[in-house]
Amino acid sequence: MAPQDWRVLMSEEPADCTIRPLADVAVNPASYERAAFLADAGRQLAGGLGVDGLVRRALRACVPKVADWAQLVVPADRGARCVAADAETADRLSAVDVPRPTTTGALSGHARVIATGRPETVPVAPGPGFAESLAPWVPGADRDDRLARLRPMELAVLPLVARGTPFGTLTLARRAGQGFDTDELTFAGEVGARIAVALDSARVRAAQAEIADAMAATRRPPSLPETPGLELGVRHRPGSGHGDGGGDFYDVLGEPGDWVILHADVITTGAQAAVVTAQARHTVRGAVYFERRPAEILRALNAALAAPFPDDSARLLTAVCARVRTRRDGGLEVTLASAGHPRPVLIRRGDDPVELPVQGRLCGALATTTYEEIGTVLARGDLLLLFSNRVPDAKGSEGRFGLDRLTTLAARFAGAPPAALAEVVDLAVGEVMATRPGEHADDLGLVVLGAPLH
């Protein structure tokens, strides 16, 4: 800009800032209609629908307002699903499953549009080769008379692109004379873009739900095996975190006469807790095939958690591992090792409950850790209670549940079946937690074991 231009800009002459009425501006009514349609389509495609529901709603939005016939090609488990609708029977969708498009040789039809990410228009003339000319674009065209009523016609095949990657196509068909000029093709592309984003979001939600279900399965209490010569009582109380909690899990492995019982508590919560739980379970189940000594099982578990991620504090857990072997007199020989877990409580008739002095470093803290074992014998009627900190730490309006309350309650059930003690502790903890609902995101559980009374 020349120097004199600056003087003009800085002059004190008032500028012409007249605001002209909107009516003076030429507006294309079709642009308003298209903008209104796109806004309405965005609303219809929002709302958390599944993939199938979105496909149905998207096709209903396209016909008859955008085209006389429409088809969506979306990925399926073993290929692609082609779903189509026409203006006359919009509620009657047709669906065809086809193999996944190959990338070998010359690409044609949908495979080319997906590979290139560019739309294509295809004029289709009437004649004996009508079905053959549609075959690359419309699977089963020879069996669909709805398209035959439109010939001659023009197809617009648009890529569905999300996060920069084409994953499917939207095909629109119009009768001859109502085809797709540049503006119409641009508008159709905007429609396809909104459908692509909605479908991609639905696919992501479905994948996340599948992962969440798989993670949740790793944290569900396992079905207990038949354990002749050993009685068990177990309880698992889910937290209030709607699946995002973390914490206790248990497993019972082995064979009659020689069982391994693991009770553990993951330090973290949420999805990370599910990952650690799954890894811990798989590690212990693999180790039990070769080793029944609790100290060695915990050593293997510690190595599995600590070695790949030595600085990841989220991969920590406490655990107590018990090897339980049946005796000829009907009692149980128990060998215990602990990795930072609360001490198991031994309950004998005629005696006060006592904490067994077993301790060790929690799993995942150091790459190499050794664990010590202690042994005890359970006679008929004796009980051994395994639990995590989340049982005594359960909070109510009057404070923590507490270890003293736990042992006092356990003493009353000396000589009772393990299931009875597990149930009464679960109920008592639940009553305390109920006085402060919504504050217990972590799940908790316990295991009681004993020899059969008879």
Side-chain angles (χ1 to χ4, degrees), residues 63 67-72 82-89 92 94 96 110 122-127 130-157 171-176 180:
V63 293
D68 298 306
W69 178 92
Q71 173 187 262
L72 279 168
C82 308
V83 187
D86 72 318
E88 295 182 8
T89 57
R92 183 169 62 89
S94 62
V96 179
H110 296 282
V122 183
V124 181
F130 174 74
E132 290 77 4
S133 63
L134 281 178
W137 310 102
V138 184
D142 56 338
R143 302 186 301 273
D144 194 337
D145 61 349
R146 294 182 294 181
L147 271 175
R149 294 194 297 267
L150 300 178
R151 57 185 178 178
M153 61 183 173
E154 185 175 17
L155 298 180
V157 187
T171 303
L172 304 173
R174 285 182 175 178
R175 289 178 171 83
F180 301 90

Side-chain angles (χ1 to χ4, degrees), residues 95-380:
V96 179
D97 291 325
V98 297
R100 194 176 304 277
T102 179
T103 57
T104 59
L107 293 176
S108 64
H110 296 282
R112 183 171 62 244
V113 172
I114 293 174
T116 63
R118 293 194 296 269
E120 295 190 21
T121 56
V122 183
V124 181
F130 174 74
E132 290 77 4
S133 63
L134 281 178
W137 310 102
V138 184
D142 56 338
R143 302 186 301 273
D144 194 337
D145 61 349
R146 294 182 294 181
L147 271 175
R149 294 194 297 267
L150 300 178
R151 57 185 178 178
M153 61 183 173
E154 185 175 17
L155 298 180
V157 187
L158 306 127
L160 298 176
V161 182
R163 291 175 287 171
T165 302
F167 65 88
T169 60
L170 169 65
T171 303
L172 304 173
R174 285 182 175 178
R175 289 178 171 83
Q178 301 177 12
F180 301 90
D181 58 22
T182 301
D183 289 342
E184 291 287 348
L185 195 61
T186 300
F187 172 60
E190 293 176 350
V191 174
R194 283 158 174 77
I195 293 174
V197 171
L199 283 173
D200 181 66
S201 298
R203 292 169 63 210
V204 170
R205 287 194 301 270
Q208 290 174 339
E210 185 177 356
I211 294 171
D213 288 343
M215 287 184 171
T218 67
R219 293 161 60 186
R220 295 189 190 107
S223 300
L224 292 177
E226 295 291 332
T227 54
L230 168 65
E231 286 193 1
L232 294 169
V234 297
R235 282 293 185 275
H236 183 267
R237 180 175 289 273
S240 59
H242 307 291
D244 293 331
D248 298 8
F249 69 93
Y250 61 83
D251 220 337
V252 180
L253 309 163
E255 58 194 20
D258 191 359
W259 299 100
V260 171
I261 300 172
L262 179 78
H263 189 271
D265 181 9
V266 179
I267 301 301
T268 189
T269 60
Q272 184 68 32
V275 173
V276 176
T277 296
Q279 184 179 8
R281 274 197 170 134
H282 289 309
T283 299
V284 170
R285 290 181 179 185
V288 167
Y289 277 106
F290 307 100
E291 180 62 72
R292 297 291 173 85
R293 289 176 294 175
E296 292 304 304
I297 292 173
L298 291 183
R299 189 171 68 86
L301 178 57
N302 174 76
L305 293 177
F309 307 98
D311 299 324
D312 190 353
S313 61
R315 305 179 69 84
L316 302 177
L317 63 80
T318 68
V320 63
C321 185
R323 183 182 188 182
V324 183
R325 287 170 285 185
T326 56
R327 294 163 52 97
R328 291 185 178 181
D329 61 4
L332 301 172
E333 181 179 341
V334 181
T335 306
L336 292 161
S338 176
H341 214 61
R343 295 177 177 180
V345 174
L346 176 62
I347 304 108
R348 299 188 191 274
R349 283 181 288 191
D351 292 333
D352 292 333
V354 60
E355 295 179 79
L356 296 180
V358 58
Q359 59 187 6
R361 183 179 287 111
L362 78 172
C363 289
L366 296 176
T368 56
T369 300
T370 58
Y371 296 93
E372 301 295 330
E373 295 179 345
I374 67 168
T376 189
V377 174
L378 301 183
R380 293 184 184 273

